[in-house]
Amino acid sequence: GVTDTAGPEGGPVPVKLQLQWFTQAQFAGYYAAVEQGYYADAGLDVTILEGGTDIVPQTVLAQGQADFAIAWVPKALASREQGAGITDVAQVFQRSGTRQVSFKDRNITTAADLKGKKVGNWGFGNEFELFAGMTKAGIDPGKDVTLVQQQFDMQALLNGDIDAAQAMNYNEYAQVLEAVNPDTGKLYTPDDFSTISWEDEGTAMYQDAIWANTEKLSSDAAYQDTTVKFVEASLRGWAYCRDEAEACRDIVVAKGSKLGASHQLWQMNEVNRLIWPAEGGAGMIDQAAWDQTVSIAQDTRNAEGQTVLTKAPEGEAFTNEYVSQALENLKDDGVDVTGESYSPETVTLAEGGA
Amino acid sequence: MTDQSVAAVSLTGVDKTFDAGRAGAVTALSGIDLAVAPGEFVSLIGPSGCGKSTLMRLVADLERPSAGTISVFGKSAHQARLDQDYGIAFQAAGLLPWRSVRANVELPLQVHGMGRAGRAARADELLELVGLAEFAGHRPDQLSGGMQQRVAIARALAERPRLLLMDEPFGALDEMTRERMQGELVRLSTQTGCAVIFVTHSIPEAVYLSDRVVVMSPRPGRISAVVPIELSDRNEDTREEPGFFAAVTAVREALRARASVELS
Amino acid sequence: MTDQSVAAVSLTGVDKTFDAGRAGAVTALSGIDLAVAPGEFVSLIGPSGCGKSTLMRLVADLERPSAGTISVFGKSAHQARLDQDYGIAFQAAGLLPWRSVRANVELPLQVHGMGRAGRAARADELLELVGLAEFAGHRPDQLSGGMQQRVAIARALAERPRLLLMDEPFGALDEMTRERMQGELVRLSTQTGCAVIFVTHSIPEAVYLSDRVVVMSPRPGRISAVVPIELSDRNEDTREEPGFFAAVTAVREALRARASVELS
Amino acid sequence: MTIVLATRRILTPVLAGVLLLVFWQLVVDLRDIPGYLLPSPEAIGTQVRQNFSDILTASRASGTNALVGLLAGIALAVAAAVVAVWVPPVERLLTPLASAVSAMPIVALAPVLSIMFSATSDLPRRIVVAIVAFFPVFVTTVRGLTRIEQVHAELMRSYAVGGWTLTRLVRLPGAVPYLFTGIRVAASLAVISAVVAEYFGGLQNGLGSRITSAAANTAYARAWAYVVAAIGLGLVFYLAALAAERLASRGRVPIS
Amino acid sequence: MVRLRSVLYGGAALAVILLLWEGYKLVGSPQGWSVNEVRLLPRADDSSMPHVWTVAERFTQPEISAEGSSSVLVAVLRAAWFSFRISLAGWLGGVLVGVALAVLMQRFRTARDALLPYVVISQTVPLVAIAPVVVGWGGQLAVLGQPWQPWMSVAVISGYLAFFPVAVGMLRGLDSPGPAQIALMQAYAASWWQTLVRLRLPASVGHLVPALRLAAAASVIGTIVAEISTGTRGGIGRLIIEYAQAATGDPARPWTAIAGAAALGLVVAALVSALDLALARFNPAGA
Ligand SMILES: Nc1ncnc2c1ncn2[C@@H]1O[C@H](COP(=O)(O)OP(=O)(O)OP(=O)(O)O)[C@@H](O)[C@H]1O
Ligand SMILES: Nc1ncnc2c1ncn2[C@@H]1O[C@H](COP(=O)(O)OP(=O)(O)OP(=O)(O)O)[C@@H](O)[C@H]1O
Ligand SMILES: Cc1ncc(C[n+]2csc(CCO)c2C)c(N)n1
Ligand SMILES: [Mg+2]
Ligand SMILES: [Mg+2]
């Protein structure tokens, strides 16, 4: 355990946060909290660990090599089922950011239209909203569509190799809009595409959340305290990024993201839309949305006929205890934690995201 | 068929120097003049390291002379090699370890496009000749040293060449086998009229086989004497003839003469 | 030092059969009984493929007999090898191509832990003995066949063993060099009192060198005769002695006798 | 005797494997290692049984890609090596090229090949396998072809043959042990390459897709069940390479 | 001399490739060439196969839009240097382990029977299964009092890929001395160790050198893949995946990183060639 060694003589408490991917605006709130000194003010010395293709954040957390981890809820629940003692302590993304994109002329506007098509799919556990959507529309994902492994880029869609591609609103969708349409010589526009949003189709699942170590939460008072402080400072960071999107873009770019500035600004903006407005306060876990995530995870079968979960999560899979405290503290400090007045900006993407 | 007026082999003013890297240069041959007539049997004899193998390799166009000219049947050594004017047996047997004894003998025939049946027949004949018929299916490393050498001899004879180059081919053979092989070689060369350059360390062997024995001396390798051998005919009794003993003595003297000069 | 009552080498009822895969089994040796006394010089002679090399390799514990027992200085052949009771020269020179001539000669000394200076001194001495002092820095493939063989002889002598096993060591040497090496070998074996088993195809050589000549016959390899040699002393004139000629004739007869039986 | 030897050769690795599995199972059981860290052999076995038919289907898909790629890679490599040794400038051109290409990881190659060819066909994966298999075979074969014994070279020179005849009769047989060292390496790498290439495009029909999909959901026992299939496939390829080697070197100096 | 010539040939090889590339772009169809729906010749359009000069131009541009960003070339070179050092560590480790294993397997028949299949198996296990174990367990170790560094995990994985060709090739090489040479050492009652040092090791060089070459390539690949797999930043691997993510809008970008990987492979191969020259004396039969 890393936090056992509390800071010497009241010095800052060292904390490690494991991300699920490389530095990008998807994680801007945490970087902002570091840069703006929010963690330091809370007495935390936070080290951010970047992800990799084979790094499973919740495993790193459960093994005690990190104190907190950012992970998608269904994937983290699957690890829980395998014995990883972790708890969702703040549901940062309130909405799902996954959509299925296709060229307009393919006439794919609902999940049902995917039947008989070549459908791009990441795998990596990011496919269940897609599968749930298709199942709900009466399509057997194992038989009625041709599943194609999707890469890091969207060329397969633009080349016409596949009919519909998975995309994160904040990332791959932007990539498409940063590409030049050879017919016009200009960038593609949203009008060129149809998209299926899983939020709209009702098969959305909870994504990025802050996970903590269950056992230490129940036994280690110092860790409980640290958790509140960490969630609080992180949400403060997210609130900052909501209000200062350009500044957060600059922070992420300065941290070494190789995707360009306009791309990161787009991403910042889209991520903000997944967080804000947050009716019950940022990071609060909504039982209904949680239940929808769990039920899809239990019932939806992927191409191999597997479900994410074999049974309902046991024990304390999530708790609002810490995030509530954090929100109280933030409200006391006058931080807007619901972002009711938030309205997204319009970001203009440059070619290649530059 | 063969133009009798053209020498089978002719070397004029041939020098050969090896560059042995850090160990310096070695003059292996110097000022070699030698002509071998078609059908003539010439033996090379001389102390170890005097350049006999080198001379043979020059004729075979496996080394290039540092100076001088070499012609084989009136052509350059290079052309003669391309035309397959000679058969060769090396000092080391040099069998291909992954081929059976038979396949080793067949190699030159195969290389030059003889059909399967013809090859097999010829190989049988040759293995019979060298007394290894029953070892046709063995691998080279299952043979004794002398047996390997006999395979190499069979291989050299395979194509009935009009020039045979043989480097100590009988070195690892016992006296009896050796004498039998000598007899076969004499018969072969007179029958086919092929010229032979034959390297040996055995004076009686050189005398028995040759029309002329070329005696060489080392460092640098030179021809120190050429002993013509005048024997009526080669047969079982030849080795008992007085002319034979005389010739042996002559060659021995030629070898000693040179050696004593050297030692003084 | 050496216990004179124990034989240097003793073979009793030794058989050796090789399994040659699809080509069938070969009986290389059958019913071999032979004892070599300490300091005794024994030559093996016989037609190609009769099992001479195999016999030597059995004594050296490089092959195991199919039947019979072998003892060397009263121990098992295996123990004798471990105790380094013999030095050996193979039929093929078997030099390590990546080592210089000098380093090849030093190999056994190095393996047995002699220091650098001692090795160098001994190698110089041995290369001088075989007349290759100036080729110490050459690589084996830069030497003539006879020179390579001399390097292998030097290597076999390096450790002054009390048993020397030599398989046609002088096969590729010219007569002069050969006679010089024979002289050296005789001197060496009498001086150091080492026993020698010596394979050769040369009857005069066997007679000149040996206390006894063992004549072998092939398929399966057997000892067909043992000819004791009674010569007073070995020197330049030995080869002219009547006793020498008598012995040569005796060995030749023994070889022929067997061969004629075989041919009939 | 040969039977004893053969059983020993088979029994020893099997025994070693069983020991390893028992040790693994004991570690997981005794130290109570949770499934999200390391699944037990028992759990993996259960998954193998449960998914057996899908494992076979996926293995067939990956195996076919690996096989086609491997054969193409070997054929190209041997041809290239022969030409390279024949025409020295070609060797000097090809060697740096092959070195450069060989250092490109699948992660880099597969995406661009997918873009260049098609994200929905198996061709890019097979090209990846062929590229991966090419290098070991090329490098070792070139080495084997050039290490020809001097007597043998001279013998063939004396026959006034070079080029293809020399290659066929002396160089290639002499290079066989080297060639097969390369093929052994290539055969094992072919399977893993085919599997890994699946992460980066193409149809989701092979072992690679199954492994990642299971691993992403912490279904490690299931992931390992497919990994076991990949290992089995790799072994089959390796043993096939060994068998081919035996066949090619019948009657030669025995090989290890 | 030799070095200059090999550099020239390397350049010529590059030129040939670039010419083929551009030549194909001239004649090839943007849709490639398909038989039965299977595209056998690649698409020649600019987004699938960008022009050589487009890629070259990318190298000169700033890497990211931020102020003071270095050029892509500098970024690629820096990343290549980072990966090079890790590859070297992985290569060295892999060679040591590979040689040790080969020696062990050569020495003990049982070790060979028991290990060889697993040496092979080790290479068929996908990195997904290995990387987390290395990162997880490595993280709990300290090396010489230093805490575990992320690059060490990468180096371990790199070595894991590199040891394989060495183990296989070296074993072959150790087995290569002929019966005559082995008999010689036997006759000297040379110990196993002496036979190894005086005979088997020098004789194995012919097989070892190509194995070292393969190991070099494997270590580079291992480094790059492990960088991606473990999320280690600073190297070519990270660039490859980050530039790949940018490929949609900027198809030439990933080629810069791929070129970097190729260059890295070349440099490592050249180093092995230098080693080859140094070992040439053990290789007299080699041309
Ligand atoms: N490894 C082996 N496998 C099969 N047969 C073998 C092997 N070694 C030797 N032989 C056979 O044993 C017999 C005796 O061989 P050996 O080498 O002892 O003969 P040799 O008397 O030394 O002959 P040479 O004078 O020609 O050297 C031969 O017929 C040979 O074919
Ligand atoms: N490739 C080479 N490099 C350097 N020197 C060489 C080479 N080949 C032969 N020599 C040298 O040339 C000289 C003559 O060698 P050659 O092989 O012709 O002798 P030889 O008369 O055949 O001797 P032997 O009777 O011992 O076979 C020797 O001193 C030898 O060292
Ligand atoms: C190995 C690997 N490849 C692709 C993705 C794709 N992906 C899906 S969600 C996400 C994060 C937001 O962009 C990314 C990159 C992944 N996760 N892991
Ligand atoms: Mg010679
Ligand atoms: Mg013999």
Side-chain angles (χ1 to χ4, degrees):
Chain A
V2 190
T3 41
D4 299 343
T5 52
E9 309 287 314
V13 180
V15 168
K16 284 187 189 165
L17 170 66
Q18 176 69 55
L19 303 182
Q20 50 184 336
W21 198 242
F22 309 142
T23 302
Q24 56 182 350
Q26 184 188 1
F27 313 110
Y30 314 105
Y31 284 106
V34 171
E35 292 300 306
Q36 294 296 307
Y38 299 151
Y39 290 131
D41 293 345
L44 306 179
D45 174 15
V46 172
T47 310
I48 296 181
L49 308 172
E50 290 185 79
T53 50
D54 295 330
I55 298 295
V56 185
Q58 62 271 26
T59 306
V60 177
L61 169 64
Q63 275 178 296
Q65 302 212 32
D67 301 292
F68 300 100
I70 309 300
W72 285 20
V73 172
K75 290 199 240 185
L77 289 179
S79 295
R80 271 188 101 260
E81 199 174 277
Q82 292 295 316
I86 54 173
T87 300
D88 181 351
V89 292
Q91 187 58 45
V92 178
F93 286 13
Q94 298 277 322
R95 282 163 283 276
S96 158
T98 317
R99 62 170 85 194
Q100 204 71 16
V101 185
S102 55
F103 275 116
K104 201 149 235 162
D105 57 14
R106 308 265 163 139
N107 287 322
I108 301 173
T109 53
T110 65
D113 297 333
L114 291 172
K115 187 165 181 152
K117 301 285 198 245
K118 290 179 182 151
V119 178
N121 170 28
W122 280 318
F124 289 102
N126 304 325
E127 70 270 40
F128 283 91
E129 294 173 302
L130 166 64
F131 281 77
M134 288 195 284
T135 309
K136 202 173 166 194
I139 300 176
D140 181 346
K143 293 205 193 82
D144 296 339
V145 296
T146 307
L147 293 169
V148 177
Q149 176 68 46
Q150 206 171 304
Q151 313 185 47
F152 300 105
D153 57 64
M154 297 292 273
Q155 300 272 69
L157 177 76
L158 298 184
N159 276 337
D161 285 350
I162 57 177
D163 299 308
Q166 268 192 314
M168 300 307 293
N169 299 346
Y170 49 78
N171 201 356
E172 289 78 8
Y173 187 51
Q175 286 180 23
V176 174
L177 300 178
E178 290 156 6
V180 176
N181 181 346
D183 297 338
T184 63
K186 300 207 189 76
L187 296 189
Y188 284 109
T189 67
D191 292 338
D192 295 323
F193 303 99
S194 328
T195 66
I196 307 169
S197 156
W198 303 118
E199 280 290 343
D200 298 344
E201 296 276 320
T203 59
M205 296 168 96
Y206 262 158
Q207 300 186 339
D208 296 30
I210 300 175
W211 294 82
N213 186 309
T214 313
E215 194 195 314
K216 283 207 278 175
L217 277 184
S218 66
S219 61
D220 183 344
Y223 184 70
Q224 294 170 357
D225 182 44
T226 303
T227 304
V228 174
K229 285 179 177 159
F230 179 77
V231 170
E232 182 190 326
S234 299
L235 292 178
R236 207 187 279 271
W238 282 114
Y240 174 78
C241 286
R242 174 193 61 207
D243 302 332
E244 303 288 344
E246 271 93 359
C248 281
R249 169 203 61 194
D250 292 342
I251 289 173
V252 171
V253 170
K255 279 289 164 194
S257 169
K258 309 287 182 185
L259 295 165
S262 77
H263 184 90
Q264 293 300 355
L265 187 59
W266 170 284
Q267 184 162 114
M268 191 67 253
N269 190 43
E270 289 299 322
V271 164
N272 275 334
R273 287 156 70 127
L274 300 180
I275 305 175
W276 314 106
E279 282 148 42
M284 283 297 281
I285 299 148
D286 174 56
Q287 187 70 48
W290 178 270
D291 289 343
Q292 173 172 327
T293 299
V294 169
S295 95
I296 293 175
Q298 269 182 273
D299 299 337
T300 302
R301 297 189 176 275
N302 69 5
E304 298 127 63
Q306 309 289 347
T307 58
V308 185
L309 299 179
T310 60
K311 51 186 189 285
E314 292 164 358
E316 192 167 58
F318 77 89
T319 171
N320 277 326
E321 185 184 340
Y322 304 93
V323 70
S324 309
Q325 278 186 46
L327 288 172
E328 286 309 312
N329 297 345
L330 287 169
K331 274 186 240 166
D332 292 351
D333 275 2
V335 177
D336 171 8
V337 296
T338 56
E340 265 160 47
S341 58
Y342 171 73
S343 66
E345 302 169 41
T346 318
V347 177
T348 321
L349 285 167
E351 183 180 342
Chain B
M1 213 178 89
T2 316
D3 178 359
Q4 292 292 325
S5 65
V6 170
V9 176
S10 135
L11 297 97
T12 328
V14 168
D15 293 353
K16 177 67 190 177
T17 311
F18 287 106
D19 176 20
R22 281 174 309 169
V26 175
T27 304
L29 291 174
S30 164
I32 300 291
D33 292 302
L34 178 68
V36 178
E40 191 186 15
F41 201 120
V42 171
S43 287
L44 303 181
I45 199 164
S48 165
C50 72
K52 305 178 292 297
S53 297
T54 304
L55 196 158
M56 237 193 59
R57 292 163 52 79
L58 286 171
V59 173
D61 188 40
L62 297 174
E63 306 274 7
R64 230 132 280 185
S66 309
T69 57
I70 302 175
S71 73
V72 178
F73 295 115
K75 332 171 200 181
S76 68
H78 182 69
Q79 191 55 47
R81 174 168 68 78
L82 295 187
D83 293 352
Q84 281 299 292
D85 284 330
Y86 65 81
I88 189 165
F90 294 97
Q91 189 161 8
L95 305 178
L96 299 180
W98 55 84
R99 288 184 156 232
S100 68
V101 164
R102 166 192 295 288
N104 264 288
V105 175
E106 286 184 9
L107 181 68
L109 304 171
Q110 187 183 6
V111 159
H112 297 124
M114 183 185 275
R116 194 177 291 266
R119 285 195 324 244
R122 179 84 181 123
D124 283 340
E125 207 175 303
L126 289 159
L127 286 173
E128 196 65 55
L129 182 78
V130 298
L132 288 176
E134 33 178 325
F135 289 89
H138 281 60
R139 279 184 291 129
D141 68 349
Q142 294 172 327
L143 299 188
S144 76
M147 291 156 98
Q148 291 183 19
Q149 214 171 26
R150 283 183 275 160
V151 177
I153 295 167
R155 186 174 64 183
L157 299 178
E159 296 193 283
R160 304 185 179 88
R162 50 184 180 142
L163 170 61
L164 254 177
L165 305 174
M166 307 186 91
D167 197 350
E168 298 185 42
F170 304 154
L173 301 185
D174 61 288
E175 200 160 316
M176 298 246 346
T177 314
R178 193 166 184 150
E179 286 180 6
R180 211 187 78 225
M181 297 300 302
Q182 286 169 5
E184 293 291 347
L185 186 57
V186 164
R187 191 177 55 77
L188 217 118
S189 72
T190 42
Q191 264 178 18
T192 64
C194 75
V196 184
I197 298 185
F198 189 93
V199 175
T200 180
H201 285 307
S202 160
I203 301 173
E205 178 168 276
V207 169
Y208 179 77
L209 291 170
S210 313
D211 298 313
R212 273 189 300 160
V213 175
V214 172
V215 179
M216 295 180 64
S217 66
R219 269 167 247 171
R222 289 180 194 282
I223 296 179
S224 57
V226 177
V227 181
I229 312 288
E230 316 277 340
L231 293 171
S232 49
D233 196 18
R234 268 76 175 178
N235 56 40
E236 300 244 321
D237 305 322
T238 305
R239 293 190 185 82
E240 322 285 312
E241 275 180 36
F244 182 79
F245 286 114
V248 166
T249 311
V251 173
R252 179 163 290 134
E253 300 286 273
L255 271 166
R256 298 253 154 136
R258 180 55 215 179
S260 57
V261 169
E262 198 175 85
L263 290 177
S264 63
Chain C
M1 214 178 88
T2 316
D3 180 358
Q4 292 293 323
S5 65
V6 170
V9 177
S10 135
L11 296 97
T12 329
V14 168
D15 292 354
K16 176 67 190 178
T17 310
F18 286 105
D19 174 21
R22 283 175 307 167
V26 175
T27 304
L29 291 174
S30 165
I32 300 291
D33 293 301
L34 180 67
V36 178
E40 192 186 15
F41 200 118
V42 171
S43 288
L44 304 181
I45 198 164
S48 164
C50 72
K52 306 178 292 297
S53 297
T54 304
L55 198 157
M56 238 193 57
R57 292 169 56 83
L58 286 171
V59 173
D61 187 41
L62 298 173
E63 306 274 5
R64 231 131 280 186
S66 309
T69 55
I70 301 175
S71 73
V72 178
F73 296 114
K75 332 174 202 180
S76 70
H78 182 68
Q79 191 55 48
R81 174 168 67 81
L82 296 187
D83 293 351
Q84 277 303 291
D85 284 330
Y86 65 80
I88 190 165
F90 292 98
Q91 188 161 7
L95 306 178
L96 300 185
W98 55 85
R99 289 184 157 232
S100 68
V101 163
R102 166 190 295 287
N104 264 289
V105 173
E106 287 183 11
L107 181 66
L109 304 172
Q110 191 179 21
V111 164
H112 299 124
M114 182 185 277
R116 192 180 293 267
R119 287 198 319 249
R122 180 84 181 121
D124 282 340
E125 207 175 303
L126 289 159
L127 287 174
E128 195 65 55
L129 181 80
V130 299
L132 288 176
E134 34 178 323
F135 290 89
H138 281 60
R139 280 204 329 239
D141 67 352
Q142 295 172 328
L143 300 187
S144 78
M147 292 156 99
Q148 292 182 18
Q149 211 172 29
R150 283 182 275 159
V151 177
I153 296 167
R155 187 174 63 181
L157 299 177
E159 297 192 283
R160 303 185 181 88
R162 51 188 180 137
L163 171 62
L164 252 177
L165 305 173
M166 306 187 90
D167 197 351
E168 296 185 44
F170 304 153
L173 301 184
D174 61 289
E175 199 160 318
M176 298 249 344
T177 313
R178 192 164 183 151
E179 286 180 5
R180 211 187 78 227
M181 297 301 303
Q182 286 169 3
E184 294 291 347
L185 186 57
V186 164
R187 192 176 54 76
L188 215 117
S189 73
T190 42
Q191 264 177 20
T192 63
C194 74
V196 183
I197 298 185
F198 190 93
V199 175
T200 180
H201 285 307
S202 160
I203 301 172
E205 178 169 274
V207 169
Y208 178 78
L209 291 171
S210 313
D211 298 314
R212 272 190 300 159
V213 175
V214 172
V215 179
M216 295 180 67
S217 67
R219 271 166 244 173
R222 290 180 193 281
I223 295 180
S224 56
V226 177
V227 182
I229 313 289
E230 316 276 341
L231 294 172
S232 49
D233 197 18
R234 269 73 175 180
N235 56 40
E236 300 245 322
D237 304 323
T238 307
R239 293 190 184 82
E240 323 285 313
E241 276 181 35
F244 182 80
F245 285 113
V248 166
T249 311
V251 173
R252 179 163 291 135
E253 299 285 274
L255 271 167
R256 299 253 154 135
R258 178 58 215 178
S260 57
V261 169
E262 196 173 87
L263 289 177
S264 65
Chain D
M1 204 190 93
T2 41
I3 292 176
V4 174
L5 215 79
T7 34
R8 228 184 73 134
R9 287 192 120 178
I10 295 166
L11 269 184
T12 320
V14 169
L15 212 70
V18 169
L19 280 178
L20 191 81
L21 287 182
V22 168
F23 175 75
W24 180 349
Q25 181 76 40
L26 282 178
V27 167
V28 171
D29 285 352
L30 296 181
R31 301 206 43 200
D32 227 357
I33 295 184
Y36 74 91
L37 280 184
L38 187 67
S40 71
E42 199 188 343
I44 297 172
T46 311
Q47 287 298 325
V48 169
R49 251 174 286 122
Q50 281 178 5
N51 297 287
F52 197 70
S53 73
D54 190 56
I55 286 179
L56 282 188
T57 323
S59 300
R60 196 169 310 131
S62 298
T64 309
N65 290 335
L67 185 66
V68 173
L70 176 65
L71 293 181
I74 292 175
L76 275 176
V78 172
V82 167
V83 175
V85 171
W86 210 333
V87 192
V90 173
E91 207 246 279
R92 289 188 214 115
L93 278 179
L94 264 178
T95 304
L97 241 173
S99 306
V101 173
S102 74
M104 293 189 202
I106 298 166
V107 276
L109 285 175
V112 293
L113 288 174
S114 272
I115 295 170
M116 286 165 65
F117 289 90
S118 165
T120 55
S121 85
D122 284 324
L123 191 65
R125 295 169 182 184
R126 294 176 177 177
I127 295 178
V128 164
V129 175
I131 289 175
V132 169
F134 177 89
F135 192 59
V137 179
F138 176 73
V139 168
T140 52
T141 308
V142 164
R143 180 56 65 139
L145 291 173
T146 41
R147 272 181 64 107
I148 168 178
E149 274 197 45
Q150 203 188 333
V151 230
H152 298 158
E154 292 187 341
L155 184 69
M156 299 307 279
R157 243 174 89 83
S158 83
Y159 295 153
V161 294
W164 175 236
T165 313
L166 175 69
T167 303
R168 186 168 56 91
L169 294 178
V170 179
R171 286 196 192 276
L172 275 178
V176 163
Y178 289 83
L179 167 69
F180 275 100
T181 306
I183 290 184
R184 280 191 201 192
V185 173
S188 328
L189 296 183
V191 173
I192 185 72
S193 310
V195 169
V196 171
E198 289 171 22
Y199 304 170
F200 307 95
L203 299 179
Q204 290 181 318
N205 58 357
L207 294 171
S209 309
R210 301 291 190 274
I211 292 169
T212 39
S213 142
N217 289 301
T218 328
Y220 284 132
R222 192 167 82 235
W224 270 97
Y226 288 96
V227 169
V228 166
I231 290 173
L233 207 54
L235 265 188
V236 167
F237 271 59
Y238 183 76
L239 292 177
L242 271 190
E245 182 169 3
R246 284 276 143 76
L247 212 67
S249 40
R250 263 177 322 179
R252 302 170 51 118
V253 185
I255 47 163
S256 50
Chain E
M1 238 309 276
V2 176
R3 217 162 303 154
L4 180 69
R5 209 177 54 177
S6 19
V7 169
L8 284 181
Y9 270 103
L14 181 68
V16 168
I17 284 297
L18 298 184
L19 279 177
L20 281 177
W21 183 271
E22 286 299 333
Y24 180 73
K25 275 185 70 70
L26 266 182
V27 300
S29 144
Q31 274 315 306
W33 178 66
S34 303
V35 175
N36 290 336
E37 309 245 322
V38 177
R39 188 173 284 107
L40 293 179
L41 286 179
R43 302 180 166 109
D45 63 314
D46 288 350
S47 86
S48 303
M49 293 178 66
H51 278 292
V52 170
W53 46 88
T54 317
V55 178
E57 193 207 321
R58 272 302 171 283
F59 271 116
T60 64
Q61 290 176 349
E63 192 195 13
I64 49 171
S65 40
E67 239 7 63
S69 158
S70 51
S71 68
V72 169
L73 180 65
V74 171
V76 169
L77 286 180
R78 207 180 288 138
W81 172 237
F82 179 91
S83 297
F84 171 75
R85 285 176 300 164
I86 299 183
S87 301
L88 205 62
W91 183 79
L92 279 175
V95 168
L96 283 180
V97 171
V99 168
L101 273 176
V103 168
L104 184 76
M105 290 191 284
Q106 201 286 316
R107 174 69 183 85
F108 298 106
R109 182 80 233 179
T110 314
R112 177 188 303 225
D113 289 345
L115 281 179
L116 198 52
Y118 296 97
V119 168
V120 175
I121 282 177
S122 73
Q123 299 303 300
T124 60
V125 179
L127 273 190
V128 229
I130 297 160
V133 177
V134 173
V135 174
W137 293 5
Q140 306 181 354
L141 295 176
V143 182
L144 305 171
Q146 293 286 89
W148 189 260
Q149 303 290 319
W151 71 262
M152 295 180 183
S153 299
V154 177
V156 167
I157 293 170
S158 164
Y160 183 84
L161 295 194
F163 95 94
F164 174 63
V166 178
V168 172
M170 185 74 186
L171 180 58
R172 243 291 148 60
L174 292 175
D175 282 339
S176 69
Q181 293 173 328
I182 290 170
L184 183 70
M185 297 310 279
Q186 266 178 358
Y188 296 152
S191 65
W192 166 77
W193 174 251
Q194 286 166 326
T195 309
L196 180 71
V197 172
R198 305 285 171 223
L199 177 62
R200 292 191 187 276
L201 282 183
S204 72
V205 168
H207 286 268
L208 179 62
V209 169
L212 292 181
R213 232 173 242 283
L214 298 181
S219 71
V220 170
I221 288 188
T223 301
I224 292 175
V225 172
E227 281 169 2
I228 295 172
S229 170
T230 65
T232 305
R233 73 155 60 201
I236 278 282
R238 173 62 80 88
L239 280 195
I240 283 178
I241 200 152
E242 285 190 307
Y243 288 2
Q245 284 191 75
T248 321
D250 187 358
R253 181 75 83 92
W255 289 102
T256 62
I258 292 175
L264 182 56
L266 265 183
V267 168
V268 175
L271 288 181
V272 176
S273 298
L275 204 67
D276 190 0
L277 282 185
L279 291 172
R281 96 186 162 93
F282 293 108
N283 226 349

